[in-house]
Amino acid sequence: MNFELTEDQLAVQEVAREFAEKKLKPRAEEFDTEARFDMDLLREMGELGFLGIIIPEEYGGGGMDAVSYMIAAEELTRGCASHAAAVGLSNSLYGYPLLTYGTEEQKKKYLPGVCAGEKVGAFALTEPGAGSDAAGLSTTFKKTDNGYILNGTKIFITMGAVADNVIVFATSKKGSGPRGISAFLVDKDAPGYEIGTIEKKMGLKASPTTELIFSDCVIPQENLLGKEGHGFRIAMSTLDGGRISCGAMGVGLAQEAFNIAVKYSKEREQFGKPIAALQAIQFHLAEMSIMIENARNLVYKAAWKKDQGQDYSLEAAQAKLYASEISTKVTHKAIQVLGGYGYIREYQVERMYRDARVTELFEGTSEIQKLVIARYLLK
Amino acid sequence: MHIVVCIKQVPEIERVKVDSGTGKVIVPEDSSMINPFDEYAIEEALRIKEKHGGTVTVLTMGPASAAEALRSALALGADEAVHLMDPAFDGSDAAATATLLAAGIGKLDKVSLVLFGRNAVDTDASSVPGYVAGRLNWPQVLFVRKFVELSADKSKVERMTEDGYDTCEIPLPGVVSVVKEINEPRLPSLKGKMRAKKAPIATFSAAALGVDTAKVGPNSPTTIVRSQPPPTRKKGEILEGEPDDVAAKLFDKLRADQII
């Protein structure tokens, strides 16, 4: 048993923390207020190696372990959750399925640009009528002589508005369940590809969340990802890995809000002394610290199991569920520690509270995580 | 083109204390970093290399811990690192440091350009670059804000002055110190950081450099007579009221203190 990070992992933490401190944190409030994602920062995250941290070096990535990835995700989220979400997207939701199920040509064509931050890859599963019921897709594909025709609408697509290539899940026939689903690599310039509404959200505002519309969208044969009918399997295995990084984001938001609360409690004076001297505040801080510690340990354990080549689906769901729920709780408590100031934008924690809330929703709601967990427990 | 960037490991200044009793400067052990101005020199060297090709060597004189500063520079993209380290160097002043750095540069292969940050934030003297140029008998331009032209044997630069800038042309090899207006330093990448951890660092002792230790370290020409903390600033006074009243009060005070 060893709870120490390796030297390499500590180095990843240092690099990610410095970038977050210098480039993300000072502008996070501005990005949130303007609901603006900074594409220059995306390129910089690519240059520094975050966007392809777990992608092998031959495809432009860093070839690092999942624990390092979680460390980076936590640190970047402490700076700005909206920009950190792009790292989860490129590594987990786009990079992983392409790497695992893509042909050599597909990997060589799409991964290096995304790892470098020059191109954006996205993941499109959710539909207006298919959220938690991910197999109930309405987007359909039809086989043609030299490819496929796609029809349907996807919603809540992270970075959809700026994506160059999107992994899209569609069914051969509505109602045909998991076996009817296939995955496609759809280029933004494919005929019949259209960007729909950019959603206005409660949090994670700087990350553009978009509707994508496919109207007789033409997909060449070579852009089928994996085999026909394997789409649901691709989606589910992708979400397993993505869940851990959602957990890391939850930890990052909680940790940052906690740090702000600790600092504030030492500076703010009421009743003639710093509020940190009051038990009411100390109790909050103690509870927050335990939740963060537990969540981080769950995240690290799930990532560690992945690195060992072990089945980590159960731990990933546990980490995602717990870390996302405590993220909301800890950021909520941070506002309480700051009192009225916590409700003011300038003090940052209200943004973190809004950002944290989505971690309980995306890549499988808390309720779905519980189903996944129970399925493993009762197996 | 071989560019050498001379860097210095400095403490985080705001954490340094001076014991007012003994006059001893107390530096917390974990507070070392690259002199912030040197980061601009490293960045400029990397940009020159990216544009014109060549290699970048970072050079420092300091205790064993200064290797961390060299590794930070390697993480940013420097190719080689050279560490001048010997107990006999401890306590070197600017003149002695320059002697050592010049000797170190003399050991390197065909150096065209030596870059410095404008000053080190601990001593604030800005004197080492000039001394080094003197030791090497190379031309120098200090406080440079821009490289306008650069070729194998000469360079045209803009030197910041209080009210503008001068354009200077120097033959190479030469010594240039840069100001922070020159660029925006990059941050280390994951790959750079990993590479830097394992990269070899060449070290030179006094014997290897062939320097006379009678003039460096504790034998430096500078003698420190006394150290003391800077005087604490007196608390300011805020005058309140309507602007006209405040202006009148301010005038009276300045007059009373014989400032006007």
Side-chain angles (χ1 to χ4, degrees):
Chain A
M1 197 70 182
N2 184 356
F3 282 100
E4 300 281 330
L5 299 181
T6 66
E7 271 194 31
D8 282 1
Q9 289 161 351
L10 286 170
V12 169
Q13 189 174 50
E14 201 180 313
V15 171
R17 188 170 291 175
E18 186 174 5
F19 178 75
E21 282 285 335
K22 291 188 174 163
K23 296 293 179 95
L24 299 179
K25 201 181 281 185
R27 296 173 66 196
E29 188 192 341
E30 163 201 334
F31 293 143
D32 177 71
T33 304
E34 296 175 7
R36 185 171 61 82
F37 188 92
D38 189 318
M39 293 302 282
D40 289 338
L41 281 175
L42 184 79
R43 273 183 287 278
E44 202 168 344
M45 288 197 288
E47 279 167 22
L48 298 193
F50 298 123
L51 295 174
I53 188 166
I54 54 166
I55 307 298
E57 292 186 49
E58 56 185 307
Y59 303 114
M64 293 184 191
D65 60 11
V67 173
S68 293
Y69 170 29
M70 294 314 127
I71 291 167
E74 176 186 336
E75 293 298 332
L76 297 174
T77 305
R78 287 180 56 193
C80 173
S82 289
H83 286 78
V87 172
L89 176 66
S90 65
N91 280 288
S92 296
L93 292 186
Y94 185 80
Y96 174 83
L98 184 47
L99 189 67
T100 312
Y101 302 98
T103 64
E104 194 57 28
E105 289 73 25
Q106 289 170 339
K107 289 189 256 191
K108 286 245 156 71
K109 183 176 178 188
Y110 293 112
L111 282 173
V114 169
C115 290
E118 287 158 4
K119 301 276 181 185
V120 175
F123 176 89
L125 176 65
T126 302
E127 297 180 357
S132 293
D133 178 15
L137 298 181
S138 299
T139 298
T140 57
F141 71 90
K142 203 174 1 170
K143 182 95 184 73
T144 62
D145 289 345
N146 41 18
Y148 303 89
I149 299 285
L150 233 59
N151 275 294
T153 299
K154 297 287 179 182
I155 55 163
F156 305 160
I157 308 309
T158 303
M159 304 285 280
V162 290
D164 296 282
N165 184 263
V166 185
I167 296 177
V168 179
F169 295 87
T171 182
S172 55
K173 187 165 168 268
K174 200 180 166 202
S176 61
R179 287 171 191 279
I181 297 172
S182 296
F184 303 91
L185 290 157
V186 182
D187 288 322
K188 69 169 179 192
D189 52 9
Y193 178 99
E194 192 192 332
I195 296 162
T197 312
I198 299 174
E199 303 295 348
K200 293 187 177 71
K201 308 191 294 292
M202 170 184 178
L204 219 63
K205 287 187 178 188
S207 175
T209 303
T210 326
E211 185 182 39
L212 291 178
I213 303 154
F214 308 96
S215 315
D216 289 331
C217 183
V218 183
I219 317 292
Q221 181 63 43
E222 66 263 25
N223 279 26
L224 173 71
L225 179 64
K227 293 196 176 108
E228 262 185 52
H230 284 199
F232 194 72
R233 188 190 304 175
I234 294 173
M236 291 303 113
S237 69
T238 299
L239 291 172
D240 271 346
R243 276 173 192 144
I244 322 179
S245 64
C246 295
M249 285 186 70
V251 175
L253 285 162
Q255 182 68 54
E256 191 59 21
F258 174 76
N259 291 357
I260 292 171
V262 168
K263 185 165 181 286
Y264 181 87
S265 70
K266 289 181 186 169
E267 290 164 0
R268 169 75 170 171
E269 292 195 0
Q270 290 288 277
F271 309 108
K273 55 189 168 190
I275 60 169
L278 303 170
Q279 254 188 2
I281 299 298
Q282 292 174 358
F283 284 6
H284 280 310
L285 298 178
E287 287 167 16
M288 291 157 86
S289 76
I290 297 166
M291 288 190 268
I292 295 167
E293 183 69 14
N294 277 338
R296 186 181 291 115
N297 286 338
L298 282 169
V299 167
Y300 282 180
K301 187 176 174 195
W304 177 83
K305 285 195 82 172
K306 185 173 186 220
D307 287 333
Q308 305 308 309
Q310 297 175 18
D311 188 338
Y312 61 94
S313 301
L314 168 65
E315 287 78 8
Q318 289 173 327
K320 199 271 185 186
L321 172 67
Y322 185 78
S324 60
E325 295 203 331
I326 70 98
S327 193
T328 304
K329 284 182 190 148
V330 171
T331 50
H332 178 277
K333 275 184 177 291
I335 295 175
Q336 202 64 25
V337 170
L338 270 74
Y341 288 105
Y343 202 64
I344 306 295
R345 280 198 170 179
E346 188 191 337
Y347 287 79
Q348 314 287 334
V349 287
E350 67 83 34
R351 182 187 73 247
M352 291 164 196
Y353 178 61
R354 288 185 286 107
D355 287 349
R357 192 62 181 84
V358 77
T359 64
E360 295 182 60
L361 306 171
F362 65 15
E363 296 191 40
T365 59
S366 290
E367 291 70 22
I368 288 294
Q369 306 309 323
K370 288 176 191 171
L371 289 180
V372 172
I373 293 165
R375 195 181 304 140
Y376 273 87
L377 301 180
L378 302 172
K379 201 155 66 173
Chain B
M1 176 173 280
H2 188 184
I3 307 162
V4 174
V5 186
C6 295
I7 65 173
K8 183 178 187 182
Q9 189 181 45
V10 296
E12 289 171 41
I13 294 305
E14 56 275 20
R15 292 177 59 198
V16 173
K17 301 268 185 304
V18 180
D19 186 319
S20 49
T22 61
K24 210 172 150 52
V25 179
I26 304 157
V27 180
E29 258 184 31
D30 61 341
S31 78
S32 53
M33 59 182 197
I34 290 188
N35 172 43
F37 289 113
D38 296 349
E39 292 180 358
Y40 298 91
I42 296 167
E43 177 66 30
E44 198 60 23
L46 296 174
R47 289 187 188 193
I48 292 171
K49 175 189 146 181
E50 282 158 8
K51 196 168 165 195
H52 300 277
T55 53
V56 174
T57 300
V58 279
L59 172 67
T60 198
M61 186 282 290
S65 64
E68 281 310 305
L70 292 173
R71 291 205 186 278
S72 299
L74 288 168
L76 292 169
D79 302 291
E80 312 274 343
V82 177
H83 190 174
L84 313 180
M85 176 172 58
D86 195 302
F89 299 163
D90 291 354
S92 290
D93 67 2
T97 301
T99 301
L100 295 168
L101 291 175
I105 291 163
K107 294 283 174 196
L108 303 176
D109 196 31
K110 276 189 74 177
V111 175
S112 300
L113 185 61
V114 178
L115 292 180
F116 284 86
R118 57 165 292 168
N119 64 268
V121 294
D122 53 354
T123 52
D124 256 342
S126 302
S127 50
V128 171
Y131 276 125
V132 167
R135 301 279 188 273
L136 293 166
N137 203 21
W138 289 356
Q140 54 163 312
V141 190
L142 307 184
F143 310 117
V144 165
R145 66 166 205 179
K146 190 178 181 187
F147 275 86
V148 183
E149 284 171 31
L150 186 68
S151 64
D153 56 359
K154 67 177 180 198
S155 178
K156 191 194 276 185
V157 297
E158 289 176 7
R159 167 173 66 190
M160 281 263 276
T161 62
E162 280 192 2
D163 47 8
Y165 66 92
D166 300 328
T167 302
C168 310
E169 195 174 283
I170 54 165
L172 295 182
V175 175
V176 167
S177 82
V178 303
V179 294
K180 65 180 168 52
E181 288 75 8
I182 196 166
N183 57 42
E184 190 189 337
R186 70 194 66 188
L187 294 177
S189 69
L190 293 171
K191 272 189 188 148
K193 191 86 180 170
M194 297 300 159
R195 191 177 54 232
K197 273 166 24 107
K198 296 170 192 104
I201 292 179
T203 56
F204 285 90
S205 64
L209 279 183
V211 291
D212 180 3
T213 54
K215 287 182 181 164
V216 300
N219 306 318
S220 295
T222 305
T223 310
I224 296 175
V225 181
R226 193 161 56 95
S227 298
Q228 62 185 64
T232 46
R233 262 176 72 172
K234 275 191 249 167
K235 212 174 171 189
E237 185 183 351
I238 294 172
L239 304 173
E240 287 180 30
E242 292 301 311
D244 285 351
D245 299 339
V246 171
K249 279 188 212 163
L250 179 63
F251 181 81
D252 291 343
K253 280 191 173 292
L254 292 174
R255 175 58 64 80
D257 292 346
Q258 296 185 329
I259 292 168
I260 52 176

